[in-house]
Amino acid sequence: MKPRYNIILLLFSAVFVFSCGKKQSAESEDKTEQPEEHHQETPQTIASLTEEQMKAVGITLGSVEMKELTSTIKANGQLRVPNNNKATVTSLYGGIIRTLNIQVGSSVKKGQVIATIANPEFIRLQEDYLTTNSRITYAEQEYRRQRELFDNDAGARKNLQSADAELKTLRTKKASLLRQLQMMGISPGSVNNGNMRSGLVITAPISGTVSSIASQIGSYVDVSSPVAEIIDNNSIHLDLQVFEKDLPKMRAGQVVHFKLTNNPETEYDAEIYSIGSSFENDSKTISVHANVTGNKTGLIDGMNITGIVSLNKSVTPAIPDEAIVEADGKFYVFVRTGKKSEAYESHEKGAGKPVETKAESFTFEKVEVVKGSSDMGYTAVTPVKEIPADAQIAVKGAFFINAKLTNSGEHEH
């Protein structure tokens, strides 16, 4: 009986020792986890990235800008060129195109030769002009002879009248032919039997850019057949479609910031000069016209745009939308605070041991801001903590800096 009692006592002691050891192990684990919990209570606000890391994720630095973001109206519209700055190039006379000196996109000046045409009728017209000149010379002689006979009672009045009528008819025909030659670009004084031209030139009626070409070498053109079209984009303007409720807020002289629908990264400026007085079709919108100011590169008639009309001249500090990150219901930006050298170990080829290397890294501070209105890719901000006027902030890639900061906080012990 006693040996059996000893065995039970031994087993109980073993279980007790095992339980105590497990409890001590759990307490030990709790103690090791406590520093990490204590670390999480103090959030990280400084992040460090090397120049290579910044390039890899596309982080770009910029500054806080002053933008007109308050009291604005958003409106869509199109770019337009007035009809008096567009031209269809035609020929006053029919003919076969012999040369074509332009291409789509070519810049031309008013009066520049863009094509030449040929037609045998041009020679016949010059022939008629020379023949009419010769007949006028004879008709003048005949009129003087009939006048002299009539004055000396040797000729009939009927003959004098006939000679006078013939001379006047020929002179009228000469004037008509002379004007036609001038319209064809031929100098009447240079026309002679050995200098008749079979071709005519077609010139540009305005200065601008060739937008389309409707003919080719060898094709026949006449007054109703356009050779090309020219547009002067220097006079391009905006046609904004403004709703009736916003019309009382519009006036001439207001500034419009607009972007192309197919290129939202570039911003252009315009100034309102005219407000329509009738609705456009059934859209219940009214056209507001604005002249494009400043850079006009890449602007083409018919492009769709999105514009922001500034109703007043007040400006506010603003940054690109990408520069703002959200965390725990608050908004932050990353301000560059400096540069430092960091040492790290790298393994070079053929080296058995790690080599200590130094690299320059940028440090960023996470600063809380209060968001304001957002327009055209920018958001007005008010920093909770003062940001120096010359401070650089991460305007692109702020999300990656925040991720780096979060990850370093989780893994740091």
Side-chain angles (χ1 to χ4, degrees):
M1 188 70 181
K2 190 174 182 179
R4 184 177 179 183
Y5 174 80
N6 291 336
I7 292 173
I8 293 174
L9 183 60
L10 182 61
L11 290 173
F12 180 80
S13 300
V15 172
F16 179 79
V17 172
F18 176 78
S19 299
C20 291
K22 188 174 182 180
K23 183 177 181 181
Q24 289 176 355
S25 177
E27 290 176 355
S28 177
E29 290 178 2
D30 290 340
K31 290 180 180 180
T32 57
E33 290 176 359
Q34 285 178 359
E36 184 175 357
E37 292 176 357
H38 178 72
H39 173 73
Q40 289 178 349
E41 291 176 358
T42 305
Q44 292 287 321
T45 59
I46 302 295
S48 178
L49 290 90
T50 64
E51 189 171 355
E52 289 74 14
Q53 290 174 325
M54 293 178 63
K55 288 181 179 179
V57 297
I59 295 174
T60 305
L61 300 179
S63 58
V64 179
E65 303 179 44
M66 301 302 292
K67 289 283 184 178
E68 292 181 344
L69 299 179
T70 58
S71 301
T72 60
I73 293 176
K74 186 176 182 179
N76 297 322
Q78 285 187 324
L79 293 173
R80 294 295 186 193
V81 172
N83 288 335
N84 60 343
N85 293 99
K86 299 179 183 178
T88 299
V89 183
T90 58
S91 173
L92 292 175
Y93 298 90
I96 304 297
I97 293 183
R98 187 166 59 186
T99 63
L100 195 61
N101 307 324
I102 55 173
Q103 295 180 352
V104 174
S106 300
S107 295
V108 295
K109 298 291 184 181
K110 183 178 181 179
Q112 178 180 332
V113 176
I114 62 175
T116 58
I117 60 174
N119 192 331
E121 291 294 330
F122 302 156
I123 297 177
R124 189 172 294 110
L125 189 64
Q126 296 169 78
E127 177 187 352
D128 287 347
Y129 179 74
L130 294 175
T131 302
T132 301
N133 266 342
S134 298
R135 291 179 61 188
I136 287 176
T137 301
Y138 172 77
E140 288 175 343
Q141 294 174 352
E142 177 65 15
Y143 176 76
R144 286 193 293 268
R145 189 174 68 86
Q146 291 295 334
R147 167 61 68 181
E148 185 177 350
L149 290 174
F150 178 78
D151 290 343
N152 294 321
D153 295 328
R157 179 183 292 274
K158 178 181 178 181
N159 293 337
L160 177 61
Q161 292 173 339
S162 176
D164 182 51
E166 177 68 13
L167 179 59
K168 289 180 178 178
T169 300
L170 290 173
R171 283 176 175 173
T172 301
K173 185 176 182 180
K174 177 185 177 180
S176 173
L177 291 171
L178 183 145
R179 187 58 180 163
Q180 290 182 59
L181 290 175
Q182 290 176 337
M183 293 176 67
M184 294 168 64
I186 299 175
S187 174
S190 65
V191 177
N192 55 61
N193 291 333
N195 188 30
M196 292 188 185
R197 292 171 53 182
S198 61
L200 300 180
V201 297
I202 300 177
T203 59
I206 63 171
S207 298
T209 302
V210 178
S211 60
S212 65
I213 299 177
S215 302
Q216 59 188 12
I217 294 176
S219 61
Y220 180 84
V221 295
D222 56 20
V223 179
S224 62
S225 303
V227 177
E229 291 187 354
I230 300 174
I231 293 181
D232 180 12
N233 281 322
N234 288 325
S235 58
I236 200 165
H237 70 270
L238 299 185
D239 273 356
L240 291 173
Q241 302 305 314
V242 178
F243 288 102
E244 182 180 1
K245 65 181 179 64
D246 295 324
L247 190 61
K249 304 174 185 177
M250 311 301 294
R251 65 178 185 276
Q254 289 174 329
V255 176
V256 181
H257 302 294
F258 70 95
K259 292 183 178 182
L260 304 178
T261 303
N262 61 353
N263 183 23
E265 294 184 359
T266 304
E267 183 177 295
Y268 301 86
D269 296 326
E271 183 177 328
I272 295 176
Y273 70 88
S274 175
I275 299 173
S277 57
S278 61
F279 290 109
E280 294 289 325
N281 302 323
D282 297 327
S283 62
K284 286 298 180 181
T285 59
I286 298 174
S287 289
V288 174
H289 309 284
N291 284 322
V292 179
T293 57
N295 179 31
K296 299 180 182 179
T297 305
L299 302 183
I300 298 175
D301 180 45
M303 281 183 167
N304 294 321
I305 62 95
T306 299
I308 298 295
V309 182
S310 297
L311 302 182
N312 54 50
K313 296 294 183 179
S314 62
V315 295
T316 182
I319 57 177
D321 295 340
E322 295 181 60
I324 304 173
V325 296
E326 183 179 1
D328 301 326
K330 297 181 179 180
F331 300 97
Y332 301 90
V333 297
F334 286 92
V335 181
R336 178 185 167 188
T337 56
K339 183 187 293 187
K340 66 179 181 178
S341 295
E342 288 186 347
Y344 64 94
E345 292 183 348
S346 64
H347 293 270
E348 297 181 355
K349 288 186 177 180
K353 296 181 178 180
V355 179
E356 186 177 287
T357 306
K358 288 188 176 182
E360 295 289 335
S361 64
F362 295 90
T363 56
F364 293 89
E365 182 182 0
K366 188 176 182 180
V367 178
E368 183 183 351
V369 296
V370 177
K371 287 177 60 175
S373 59
S374 297
D375 283 312
M376 303 295 289
Y378 281 81
T379 299
V381 292
T382 302
V384 175
K385 172 186 174 182
E386 183 179 357
I387 298 177
D390 59 347
Q392 288 188 311
I393 64 172
V395 294
K396 284 188 178 181
F399 170 80
F400 296 101
I401 302 178
N402 189 56
K404 174 77 163 50
L405 185 63
T406 302
N407 291 336
S408 64
E410 290 178 352
H411 292 94
E412 192 172 311
H413 297 286

